[in-house]
Amino acid sequence: MNYISTRGSAPVLTFEDTMLSGLARDGGLYVPQAIPALSPDQIAAMEGQSYEQIAFIVMRPFIDDTINDADFRAIIDRAYSVFGHAARAPMVQLEQGHFLLELFHGPTLAFKDFAMQIIGQLFQHVLAKKGERVTIVGATSGDTGSAAVEAFRGLDNVDVFILYPHGRISEVQRRQMTTPQESNVHALALEGDFDDCQARLKDMFNDFDFRDGVRLAGVNSINWARVLAQVVYYFSSAVALGAPGRRVSFTVPTGNFGDIFAGYIAKRMGLPIDKLVVATNQNDILHRCLSGQGYHKGETIPSISPSMDIQISSNFERALFDAYDRDGNAVAQLMDELKAGGFEVSQGAMEVLMDHYASGRASEDQTSAQIKASLAETGELLCPHSAIGVHVADRHRQPGTPMITLATAHPAKFPDAVEAATGVRPPLPPRMADLYERSERLTRVPNDLEALKKHIMDHLQT
Ligand SMILES: *Cc1c(COP(=O)(O)O)cnc(C)c1O
């Protein structure tokens, strides 16, 4: 399988190189040259299979033969063995026709673990084979960083530096990044917001001397391997509800557009998905764009769903690439306009987007009200992100088509917001109950590219 850049002028890469490089050298994101399809029979045969077996069937066509079947099965098994639930991605029913897909049973209690655990194992395998080391630098609004630290801590061939916005993530998120004591992981608290973290990360990737010098690798949601790992639970959940014989819809609490884009890939592979509903918080650039108002960035306003406090939604570029008929020049031009504030989406591209996606938003008050209502009506304690999903999903349900809302984090990861809404403080699962007692290790860093580069070079293991 070959991968091409959304901006049309970076080298074509294999799966392994796509995974190791992250961002393309023309500033674009890598996407598969063609999307492999699964037949209705192949999809029907997933019924009754384990999550790991479904993961193998879905991901295998995207991965080169340089990783053989037996190794790839072992990678998948190791990745999910650390999960706290035998089904990996279990579903519960909220009401008639509405289901909640619980994606928070991994080691850091958010859906990011599904992809990051796979990536950790894949990096380990590929780097050991090549005899190489890399430096991973990631930007996080909270959950990516903790999942990355958990997936890479103590691995031999990787140094990991995570930039997070100082003071803008929850204590559980921070502690999951700052309490691991392995010397190859580094938590960096940046003076700025998440968009600043993401911008400095992009600057490092666009500084080719630095990028090549430290062998920079990215594990942000722009990394294709992460999107790929997330395609799996769209299949496992839809098949459990009767696909391919029955169409389903999904609502996805969205920030960087990685998770919902995985749903789009599932649909392109042949899964009968009716609507993919983008749910945003008050930082609603995607909802405004999908409502026909163009893509114009504003100020990021901190919310009780911090993992969705994003104005520039990186993976949306992948959706635009397909909506503009895979015209890399057109996408490159839009991204230039975005630097100056924003752009309008052409009518043709809007029609393609509306074919696949719908959208909605929840205000802070609506989010809290939903957490409270869901507890009263179903006994489910939702994290604020998942509550936004349920709120928006309720406005997009169609009779006869089951709606699956993705629960993206465990409520205990955001205990203050959940307690404020319900009076109930959700406890951490027993396997991580001592998190608040462990000692922390972090460095405050300025929002400055040169200072960051120096800090990273000074702290490499070799
Ligand atoms: C990352 C995250 C999101 C947003 O997912 P994207 O792939 O960035 O759209 C939503 N909820 C939680 C809890 C997250 O950690």
Side-chain angles (χ1 to χ4, degrees):
M1 174 68 70
N2 282 329
Y3 290 83
I4 57 173
S5 164
T6 49
R7 303 200 191 167
S9 53
V12 173
L13 296 183
T14 60
F15 173 80
E16 284 186 10
D17 288 334
T18 299
M19 177 181 80
L20 291 176
S21 65
L23 194 67
R25 291 181 98 86
D26 58 4
L29 311 189
Y30 276 104
V31 290
Q33 206 154 35
I35 310 244
L38 296 175
S39 69
D41 284 349
Q42 282 174 300
I43 297 171
M46 292 175 186
E47 217 220 303
Q49 305 245 36
S50 69
Y51 188 86
E52 284 81 351
Q53 286 167 320
I54 296 173
F56 181 84
I57 298 166
V58 171
M59 292 193 278
R60 178 75 263 189
F62 291 91
I63 292 175
D64 312 319
D65 293 334
T66 47
I67 303 177
N68 69 36
D69 284 2
D71 285 344
F72 190 44
R73 283 187 197 280
I75 283 168
I76 294 170
D77 288 349
R78 270 200 301 277
Y80 297 122
S81 65
V82 294
F83 274 48
H85 197 297
R88 312 312 182 209
M91 260 193 301
V92 298
Q93 186 164 13
L94 294 177
E95 56 184 305
Q96 182 67 30
H98 193 180
F99 298 83
L100 190 72
L101 179 58
E102 294 185 349
L103 301 176
F104 51 67
H105 295 285
T108 68
L109 306 181
F111 81 89
K112 306 285 196 305
D113 289 322
F114 277 89
M116 210 61 84
Q117 285 294 325
I118 282 277
I119 284 218
Q121 296 299 326
L122 279 169
F123 266 66
Q124 172 90 331
H125 179 84
V126 170
L127 292 172
K129 201 173 59 183
K130 291 181 179 228
E132 290 175 5
R133 317 183 42 88
V134 295
T135 304
I136 289 172
V137 184
T140 187
S141 54
D143 295 329
T144 293
S146 46
V149 165
E150 192 60 40
F152 288 97
R153 62 194 285 190
L155 293 190
D156 308 326
N157 303 313
V158 225
D159 291 293
V160 186
F161 296 84
I162 301 293
L163 303 170
Y164 69 88
H166 177 65
R168 296 198 187 208
I169 64 176
S170 83
E171 184 177 358
V172 176
Q173 290 177 317
R174 189 190 70 235
R175 285 185 165 273
Q176 285 178 335
M177 285 190 276
T178 58
T179 56
Q181 297 300 318
E182 287 84 353
S183 58
N184 72 324
V185 297
H186 309 267
L188 305 180
L190 185 126
E191 306 289 347
D193 62 20
F194 172 63
D195 288 310
D196 293 322
C197 295
Q198 195 157 246
R200 294 300 76 73
L201 179 67
K202 278 205 169 188
D203 291 344
M204 284 184 227
F205 272 96
N206 288 325
D207 182 331
F208 292 151
D209 285 342
F210 178 75
R211 176 175 179 165
D212 296 337
V214 303
R215 192 109 171 60
L216 195 60
V219 294
N220 266 82
S221 68
I222 55 168
N223 191 308
W224 169 256
R226 280 194 48 195
V227 175
L228 177 59
Q230 291 165 9
V231 178
V232 176
Y233 45 72
Y234 287 89
F235 276 93
S236 65
S237 59
V239 167
L241 292 182
R246 194 186 194 200
R247 290 165 82 75
V248 299
S249 288
F250 288 91
T251 300
V252 185
T254 296
N256 238 334
F257 212 80
D259 206 6
I260 193 152
F261 189 75
Y264 165 80
I265 296 293
K267 183 175 178 185
R268 292 285 309 277
M269 290 178 75
L271 190 66
I273 295 177
D274 188 30
K275 274 285 178 239
L276 289 162
V277 184
V278 173
T280 76
N281 65 18
Q282 59 193 2
N283 296 295
D284 60 353
I285 182 168
L286 286 165
H287 174 54
R288 284 184 279 120
C289 180
L290 292 168
S291 308
Q293 298 174 42
Y295 193 81
H296 301 279
K297 59 185 176 190
E299 274 282 294
T300 309
I301 309 166
S303 77
I304 57 171
S305 46
S307 305
M308 294 158 64
D309 286 347
I310 289 172
Q311 283 294 336
I312 303 170
S313 213
S314 304
N315 277 290
F316 193 52
E317 180 168 343
R318 289 188 161 115
L320 290 168
F321 183 60
D322 279 4
Y324 280 83
D325 217 8
R326 303 206 134 198
D327 178 349
N329 288 329
V331 173
Q333 199 184 328
L334 295 178
M335 293 303 135
D336 275 346
E337 288 175 41
L338 181 58
K339 278 190 204 132
F343 55 82
E344 300 304 321
V345 180
S346 74
Q347 198 186 332
M350 241 0 251
E351 280 166 19
V352 178
L353 291 172
M354 296 327 294
D355 232 23
H356 299 290
Y357 303 104
S359 69
R361 87 194 283 275
S363 67
E364 295 288 273
D365 287 347
Q366 287 169 326
T367 306
S368 298
Q370 186 65 58
I371 297 174
K372 190 171 180 196
S374 289
L375 181 63
E377 289 158 17
T378 67
E380 289 295 320
L381 210 45
L382 300 176
C383 91
H385 312 77
S386 310
I388 289 168
V390 171
H391 173 90
V392 171
D394 269 337
R395 282 146 190 84
H396 284 85
R397 286 167 52 199
Q398 302 281 342
T401 307
M403 175 63 83
I404 301 171
T405 296
L406 275 52
T408 49
H410 192 286
K413 209 159 181 182
F414 303 93
D416 297 338
V418 173
E419 185 175 13
T422 62
V424 178
R425 193 163 183 88
L428 284 167
R431 63 199 150 101
M432 53 195 76
D434 68 339
L435 186 66
Y436 289 102
E437 277 100 67
R438 298 180 204 158
S439 68
E440 294 190 78
R441 214 160 49 87
L442 64 94
T443 311
R444 292 272 288 270
V445 290
N447 181 14
D448 176 79
L449 178 63
E450 293 308 316
L452 282 170
K453 280 163 43 184
K454 181 165 186 321
H455 182 89
I456 289 170
M457 297 211 282
D458 289 348
H459 291 82
L460 292 176
Q461 298 288 297
T462 49

